[in-house]
Amino acid sequence: MKQPAPARNLRQLGELLRDQRHALGLSFDEICSALGRTKGSVSRWEQGKCRPRADLLCRWARILNLDIHQVYALAGYYALLELVEQETSLSSQPMALGSIKQVSETL
């Protein structure tokens, strides 16, 4: 079952993603290209109007060197957050992007 993130959290997430992109000197076009998404989609995410899928959010967090725990918490992906915490406590290897995509499709 999907748990929507509160609008306030999505705005904070969008600000975090946009601010970190700026801090790293990445252009809007560069992040759209890296994510393989349209400008419209990325714009809505950075504005906090909607949340990206968990697998895209994981890729975005990696590109921007952000803490996935913080990103998933702001996005409202609580089930995935628990899964990531379990995986990181079991090994020093981060969870594979494919695993996150499989789980996120069930939320």
Side-chain angles (χ1 to χ4, degrees), residues 54-55 57-58 68-77 80-81 84 100:
D55 58 312
L57 197 51
C58 181
I68 193 64
H69 297 89
Q70 179 187 16
V71 171
Y72 275 177
L74 286 172
Y77 286 119
L80 283 175
L81 185 57
V84 169
I100 292 171

Side-chain angles (χ1 to χ4, degrees), residues 3 12-13 18 24 30 34 40 46-47 49 61 72 75 102 104:
Q3 288 185 327
Q12 289 176 339
L13 175 62
R18 184 187 60 243
L24 294 174
E30 288 172 320
E46 284 193 350
Q47 292 175 30
K49 292 184 178 180
Y72 275 177
Q102 288 174 338
S104 70

Side-chain angles (χ1 to χ4, degrees), residues 57-102:
L57 197 51
C58 181
R59 186 176 343 152
W60 204 345
R62 286 182 179 174
I63 292 167
L64 299 179
N65 298 315
L66 292 171
D67 176 35
I68 193 64
H69 297 89
Q70 179 187 16
V71 171
Y72 275 177
L74 286 172
Y77 286 119
Y78 305 111
L80 283 175
L81 185 57
E82 291 175 19
L83 185 60
V84 169
E85 288 172 354
Q86 289 173 3
E87 291 242 349
T88 55
S89 69
L90 294 175
S91 78
S92 60
Q93 298 290 326
M95 184 165 49
L97 187 58
S99 299
I100 292 171
K101 185 173 183 178
Q102 288 174 338

Side-chain angles (χ1 to χ4, degrees), residues 27-28 40 74:
S27 72
F28 185 75
L74 286 172

